[in-house]
Structures are given as structure tokens and as C-alpha cells.
Amino acid sequence: MGEPDPADFSAVVCPVTGVTAREAAVNAIIARDHLGAQCVAAPLSVSRTRRLAMIEDVRVLTGVLALELDTREPLAGPYDPAYRARLVHEATMRSDAFALCAALTLDAMDEDVRRGTAHGG
């Protein structure tokens, strides 16, 4: 049996926050681009240590975006960017499995860009 397609992980939903792995990956990309940072890119067959590094990257990046958007003002509802960023970060912190799905989605999105096959979804 072959390795699963990382893109399959993008639709995974955190049951507590309702955030998708794709939303978490996009938030991580926004923070990474803002910081000019690089993530640990790795295929599915990588070691546990590399996967943990990928999880940590996503958690740090989503946390950075949540902090960047935090205005200390009352939230304007469920579509408020600061509120969504907090939910995304909370989702990545609640579960290693969810954070890994977000990291694999991020890696797949980066690979699509490298190949020139990026698409919405």
C-alpha cells in the first residue's frame, strides 16, 4: 500500500474549534511569509523527530499570527480575523494529530507552488 496523499489531510477538522487543517496551513503560510521564515519540509516517510519539528513549526507560526492579529479589542464575531487566528492556534495546540495534518497540508501547498500547480480548494 502506498503512502497517503498529503492533500487528503487538508479537510481534517478539529472537532472542538471547527478549524480545518487547510485553514491552519494557510495561517501558517501567512505568518511564515510575514516573518520571512522557512518551515521544516519533509515527505510523509520522515522520522518521528522531523514530524515533531513540522508540528512545532505549524504551532509556532499559527501562534505568531494569533499574536500579530490580537488587538485586545472586543472580537467582532466568528469571522473576525483575530478570533479565527486564535481558533486556528488553539486547534494546533490541542492535538498533535491535527497539527501534523496542518503541517502536511502546508508541505503539500508548498510543493504545489514549487511545481507551479497551486490551486484553490
Side-chain angles (χ1 to χ4, degrees), residues 5 7 26 28-29 33 82 92 96 112:
D5 180 2
V26 168
I29 288 170
D33 289 352
T92 63
D96 286 351
D112 283 349

Side-chain angles (χ1 to χ4, degrees), residues 66-75 80 82 86:
L67 286 172
E68 287 283 324
L69 295 177
D70 186 14
T71 62
R72 302 289 177 200
E73 299 294 322
L75 297 175
D80 180 294
R86 272 191 234 159

Side-chain angles (χ1 to χ4, degrees), residues 31-43:
R32 181 186 67 193
D33 289 352
H34 176 70
L35 294 171
Q38 291 296 320
C39 286
V40 177

